[in-house]
């Protein structure tokens, strides 16, 4: 139960009740479709007249459509209700340092269109590229009622300013993406950290009934999205959850954030590349080249490991060890029901899973029964999370005291 904050509260009004009932109807239709008005009244406990008013409004707003008629022993045949997947769309944008993906999805996060392009290193150029591609996407699908745009970013968003304030792997600081994208499209834009987006994807499209969950994204860096009690943990300014920048090796390797010994320096894709280069390059060669790993990618390491390269497998094992070290901290400190690992490295779960679980068992002094599971990269959790960002504005519980 949440304590009422008497310095920042909103009293319940008739409008609040209507908003809550509307969201309940949307969620019931989403879960039980096809469903009749009578069944909605039975599930919700609301009067049939109230249900009809809400449903008629949802149909008018194109959120819901009526389909085939059902069978009734007598009286009028009920008309079944569905979410209007064919007419309502959400645009999702997943920004990563090398590549950005734009997608158009329906209300169940089924992607109807998708394209990728190189992420410009300059944020102004990136925004210009993105604005053009968004306008083209909208113009190409004129029959869609667009509800908004969700953006997943490899950094943290300040709640007050809605700016990207911290993205070391992009090299961007204090960037306003929201304003120019809203001006270009006329649509509301929701920005979120990639790990938070992945956590929301699990909450909305993944594991039913799980209320305490952490999504750990493993890519160029490491991010973590924390859901406790069914709520995304944001902290006082939206920057909560930066476990990738917690020191796990005192006076360790310098991180792009300016700290030393950060978790992501030892357990990210970049770390695996560094391990491989250190194992295969002579000391003299390393001295001659300041960035010997520049010619290799993490995909190269995965390919080499697939081919049986022992050094590549050792690099992935070292990465898995440090993933276990960090995950053990999360289990001990937060005791979630599930920790979901997101990233290309999950292709090797048969190899890295046992290493991670062994480290966690050894370091988990609380005995918390947390399950550690991989996601399927084909599910595109970052991109699906961007759809959840917009969806939760309509289907999630309203913000009240």
């Amino acid at each position: 139960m949440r304590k009422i904050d008497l310095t920042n509260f909103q009293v319940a009004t008739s409008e609040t009740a209507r908003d809550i009932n509307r969201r309940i109807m949307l969620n019931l239709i989403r879960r039980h479709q096809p469903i009749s008005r009578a069944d909605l009244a039975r599930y919700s406990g609301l009067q049939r007249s109230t249900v009809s008013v809400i449903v008629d409004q949802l149909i008018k707003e194109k959120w819901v459509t009526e389909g085939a008629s059902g069978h009734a022993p007598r009286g009028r045949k009920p008309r079944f209700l569905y979410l209007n997947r064919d007419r309502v769309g959400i645009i999702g944008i997943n920004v990563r340092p090398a590549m950005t993906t734009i997608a158009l999805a329906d209300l169940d996060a089924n992607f109807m269109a998708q394209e990728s392009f190189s992420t410009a290193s300059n944020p102004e150029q990136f925004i210009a590229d993105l604005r053009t591609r968004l306008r083209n996407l909208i113009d190409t699908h004129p029959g869609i009622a667009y509800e908004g745009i969700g953006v997943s970013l490899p950094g943290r968003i300040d709640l007050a300013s809605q700016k990207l304030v911290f993205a070391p792997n992009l090299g961007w600081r204090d960037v306003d993406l929201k304003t120019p994208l809203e001006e270009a499209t006329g649509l509301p834009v929701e920005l979120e950290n990639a790990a938070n987006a992945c956590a929301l994807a699990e909450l909305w499209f993944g594991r039913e009934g799980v209320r305490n969950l952490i999504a750990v994204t493993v890519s160029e860096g490491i991010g973590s999205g924390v859901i406790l009690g069914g709520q995304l943990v944001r902290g006082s300014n939206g920057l909560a959850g930066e476990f990738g920048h917690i020191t796990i090796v005192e006076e360790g390797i310098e991180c792009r954030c300016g700290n030393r010994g950060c978790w992501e320096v030892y357990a990210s894709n970049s770390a695996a590349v560094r391990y491989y280069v250190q194992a295969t390059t002579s000391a003299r060669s390393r001295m001659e080249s300041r960035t010997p790993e520049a010619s290799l990618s993490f995909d190269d390491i995965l390919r080499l490991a697939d081919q049986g390269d022992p050094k590549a497998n050792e690099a992935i094992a070292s990465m898995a060890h440090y993933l276990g070290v960090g995950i053990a901290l999360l289990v001990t400190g937060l005791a979630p029901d599930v920790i979901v690992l997101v990233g290309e490295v999950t292709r090797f779960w048969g190899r890295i899973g046992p290493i991670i679980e062994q480290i966690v068992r050894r370091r988990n002094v609380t005995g918390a029964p947390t399950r550690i599971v991989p996601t399927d990269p084909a599910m595109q959790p970052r991109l699906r999370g961007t759809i959840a960002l917009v969806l939760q504005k309509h289907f999630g519980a309203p913000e009240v005291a």
Side-chain angles (χ1 to χ4, degrees), residues 185-262:
T185 63
L187 297 172
V189 173
E190 305 294 335
L191 308 177
E192 190 53 271
N193 166 262
N196 284 352
C198 289
L200 288 172
E202 287 290 332
L203 186 67
W204 282 93
F205 306 114
R207 296 158 215 281
E208 287 284 338
V210 174
R211 294 178 55 79
N212 301 289
L213 174 146
I214 301 176
V216 176
T217 57
V218 185
S219 56
E220 297 81 6
I222 287 183
S224 50
V226 181
I227 290 177
L228 297 179
Q231 299 293 322
L232 183 64
V233 176
R234 297 182 182 276
S236 59
N237 57 2
L239 306 184
E242 276 295 342
F243 290 100
H245 294 284
I246 285 181
T247 298
I248 64 168
V249 178
E250 197 68 31
E251 299 302 322
I253 298 170
E254 185 175 1
C255 179
R256 292 183 183 182
C257 73
N259 196 6
R260 285 188 171 274
C262 291

Side-chain angles (χ1 to χ4, degrees), residues 62-81:
K62 298 184 179 179
W63 278 98
V64 171
T65 185
E66 287 185 301
S69 298
H71 296 285
R74 57 185 178 273
R76 288 180 58 185
K77 294 181 178 180
R79 293 290 300 279
F80 287 128
L81 303 167

Side-chain angles (χ1 to χ4, degrees), residues 249-292:
V249 178
E250 197 68 31
E251 299 302 322
I253 298 170
E254 185 175 1
C255 179
R256 292 183 183 182
C257 73
N259 196 6
R260 285 188 171 274
C262 291
W263 184 22
E264 74 172 39
V265 176
Y266 292 88
S268 64
N269 295 357
S270 304
V273 173
R274 188 180 71 249
Y275 296 142
Y276 181 80
V277 169
Q278 290 173 343
T280 57
T281 309
S282 68
R284 181 175 178 180
S285 296
R286 289 199 297 270
M287 290 176 62
E288 291 173 351
S289 174
R290 295 178 63 186
T291 56

Side-chain angles (χ1 to χ4, degrees), residues 124-141:
E124 288 78 16
Q125 182 60 55
F126 171 75
I127 290 171
D129 293 344
L130 187 54
R131 283 166 59 108
T132 300
R133 291 175 183 273
L134 284 173
R135 286 194 294 263
N136 289 340
L137 177 65
I138 292 170
D139 291 344
T140 305
H141 300 83

